[in-house]
Every structure is written in structure tokens, then in C-alpha cells.
Amino acid sequence: MSVMVIVAYRPKSGCAEELEALVREHVPCLRALGLVTDRPAQAMRGLDGIIVEVFEWKEGAIEDAHKSSRVVELWERFASACDYVPLRELPEAGKMFAEFRPLAL
């Protein structure tokens, strides 16, 4: 069974543009490797600059991604550009209807 994921990235100082470029690269890379479904991915920005990404892994693909040198290298670039943030820490998470600005993929 496939798995939908929601991940939040807080850009490190001076890395907002780099992070945005990485988010645009992320799902196309995963898709080229056959790791995610064809369901359109979504990306959005919170008021504090955190980027939220939503996409769907194929069954078993999360484990396969960790074995891919291409994916691991991409994730290392993410780690240099951002900190991962639990969704509960987003200011928007405290609202009944969380609002974000769309980020073009």
C-alpha cells in the first residue's frame, strides 16, 4: 500500500532559495527512480518561511530510497539547507484551518 507523507522544512539562515530549489527537485528525482506515485505532489510555504511538502511513496519505496546514492546525496543537500520540523511546531497547526501559500513545483 502506498503512503502519503507530509514533511516540513525550516530553511537555515541564507538557504531559503536553495531549499526551494531542492523541494522542486525532490519529487521529480524520486519519481524518476520509480519511488513515488504519479499523484501530484504539493508544496507550500508557511508565514514563517517553513516549506511543507506532500507526496505519495509507492509501497516499500521508503526503504529503497535509503539505499539509493542519488536520493541520499539529495537528502544530504537538504540537511545542509534546512532543519526538519514536526508539523505540530508549525504556527498554522494551531488553527482549525491551516493556511499556506502555494509554492510552484
Side-chain angles (χ1 to χ4, degrees):
M1 174 183 283
S2 63
V3 177
M4 295 291 299
V5 295
I6 305 171
V7 60
Y9 313 106
R10 177 181 289 120
K12 292 182 179 176
S13 181
C15 294
E17 288 182 22
E18 179 183 358
L19 176 59
E20 192 170 313
L22 287 166
V23 170
R24 286 193 175 102
E25 182 180 349
H26 191 212
V27 171
C29 173
L30 299 175
R31 191 164 283 134
L33 295 170
L35 299 171
V36 297
T37 69
D38 290 332
R39 185 185 304 270
Q42 298 293 318
M44 58 211 84
R45 187 183 316 277
L47 294 175
D48 60 356
I50 291 175
I51 294 177
V52 177
E53 182 181 38
V54 181
F55 62 95
E56 183 179 20
W57 288 104
K58 289 184 177 179
E59 184 172 352
I62 295 172
E63 294 80 15
D64 293 341
H66 284 89
K67 299 173 191 170
S68 166
S69 60
R70 185 171 169 196
V71 175
V72 169
E73 183 273 331
L74 178 59
W75 288 348
E76 288 172 353
R77 291 173 27 215
F78 266 94
S80 294
C82 72
D83 294 310
Y84 296 90
V85 180
L87 296 178
R88 69 178 176 273
E89 292 184 17
L90 276 64
E92 292 84 357
K95 299 178 182 178
M96 182 64 69
F97 297 96
E99 295 180 6
F100 297 88
R101 295 183 308 275
L103 183 67
L105 296 176

